[in-house]
Amino acid sequence: MNILSLQDLEYKIDVLRTHMIAIGKSKGLNHPNTIKFSQELDILLNVYQKNKLK
């Protein structure tokens, strides 16, 4: 299992959020890609929160 540092997670979260916002603006909030990025972002945010509490 690949354990990421909080800094790595923050970077990935920022990149994913930026992509999600760009797709949402260009294709709409209900577009499958926007939803996919949102779900992936949720997962990363949950991992970040768990790691931050350790």
Side-chain angles (χ1 to χ4, degrees):
M1 181 176 199
N2 188 11
I3 306 278
L4 298 173
S5 71
L6 286 178
Q7 290 173 331
D8 290 338
L9 284 168
E10 289 170 357
Y11 175 77
K12 287 182 176 278
I13 288 167
D14 189 48
V15 168
L16 196 54
R17 181 181 289 128
T18 301
H19 288 315
M20 181 189 70
I21 290 169
I23 295 291
K25 284 182 177 179
S26 67
K27 297 187 178 184
L29 297 178
N30 292 323
H31 190 275
N33 287 345
T34 306
I35 294 169
K36 181 185 93 166
F37 280 122
S38 176
Q39 291 170 339
E40 290 177 15
L41 184 58
D42 286 343
I43 291 168
L44 279 182
L45 288 168
N46 287 334
V47 169
Y48 179 83
Q49 283 299 99
K50 279 185 185 179
N51 287 340
K52 195 170 181 180
L53 293 175
K54 287 183 182 180

